[in-house]
Amino acid sequence: AASDVYKRQIAVGWPAAVSKNGWGALRRLIDPVDRRELLQTLFGAWRARDDRVCQLELRVRRADGSSGWLQVRALAVEHRVGSWRLAGIFSDISDHKALEAHFAERLEVSAALLASQTELAHAAQSARDEAETNVRLRGSFLANMSHELRTPMHGLIGMAAVSYTHLTLPTKRIV
């Protein structure tokens, strides 16, 4: 079982020294800011004799120089009466973090598309409302203009009809 763990560490790019020397070799691979947070959290738990599991995600540098992520779950345990040690598990979560970053990016793209679609829907609704207003105004204008033109035209036609009845026959032939 120990050789399987060793092979897994080699497979993900952790130097063999991490397996053999544990924390001493591993701590040099952890990002300095994250290392400070890890030490403060773990030693704070150790000093308080807190039996809760501390969980942190740390940026690390692999043996090949690439970066990765470790998840640390550790707690302070009583080794002997009055003697406490830290026990924990370090798990490589680099693939998980890569997926997390990918999904966060996809989520941002989706949110941008949704915002764009919402803007387009508002613009389409606004254009539709404006078109409906224009149709109503056009109808109102034509109705008013029709009334304004018909009223005088009816008067002219009526006057022409009355005048036509009073014309003499030779004048009617001309008209």
Side-chain angles (χ1 to χ4, degrees):
S3 64
D4 291 338
V5 171
Y6 179 74
K7 287 176 187 172
R8 166 112 171 90
Q9 289 170 337
I10 296 299
V12 297
W14 305 111
V18 170
S19 297
K20 294 176 186 172
N21 301 327
W23 169 248
L26 182 62
R27 100 172 168 210
R28 286 188 292 279
L29 301 177
I30 298 173
D31 181 83
V33 174
D34 289 351
R35 183 176 27 206
R36 192 173 310 116
E37 181 184 356
L38 172 69
L39 292 173
Q40 287 173 349
T41 302
L42 293 179
F43 288 125
W46 176 74
R47 278 192 303 270
R49 307 301 192 246
D50 191 350
D51 61 352
R52 287 178 293 164
V53 173
C54 301
Q55 183 170 318
L56 296 166
E57 293 178 351
L58 310 170
R59 292 168 292 206
V60 293
R61 182 179 29 88
R62 292 192 173 129
D64 64 1
S66 65
S67 61
W69 285 87
L70 282 182
Q71 181 181 56
V72 178
R73 291 186 197 124
L75 69 147
V77 293
E78 191 167 12
H79 176 63
R80 287 182 232 128
V81 176
S83 173
W84 290 77
R85 290 192 176 183
L86 292 170
I89 298 171
F90 293 82
S91 303
D92 185 355
I93 58 167
S94 300
D95 293 340
H96 174 77
K97 283 296 203 177
L99 279 174
E100 203 174 81
H102 173 74
F103 287 132
E105 181 183 320
R106 300 290 357 135
L107 184 60
E108 286 178 20
V109 169
S110 297
L113 286 174
L114 181 61
S116 175
Q117 287 175 344
T118 302
E119 287 178 27
L120 288 174
H122 287 307
Q125 181 65 36
S126 187
R128 185 175 139 217
D129 292 345
E130 186 177 338
E132 288 174 352
T133 300
N134 288 338
V135 166
R136 279 193 304 276
L137 288 173
R138 179 180 161 265
S140 176
F141 172 77
L142 289 177
N144 287 337
M145 286 307 294
S146 175
H147 172 73
E148 295 297 325
L149 290 174
R150 273 189 315 210
T151 302
M153 287 299 286
H154 284 303
L156 287 172
I157 292 171
M159 292 301 286
V162 169
S163 297
Y164 187 74
T165 57
H166 291 12
L167 292 177
T168 59
L169 189 57
T171 310
K172 284 185 182 177
R173 284 189 202 142
I174 295 172
V175 175

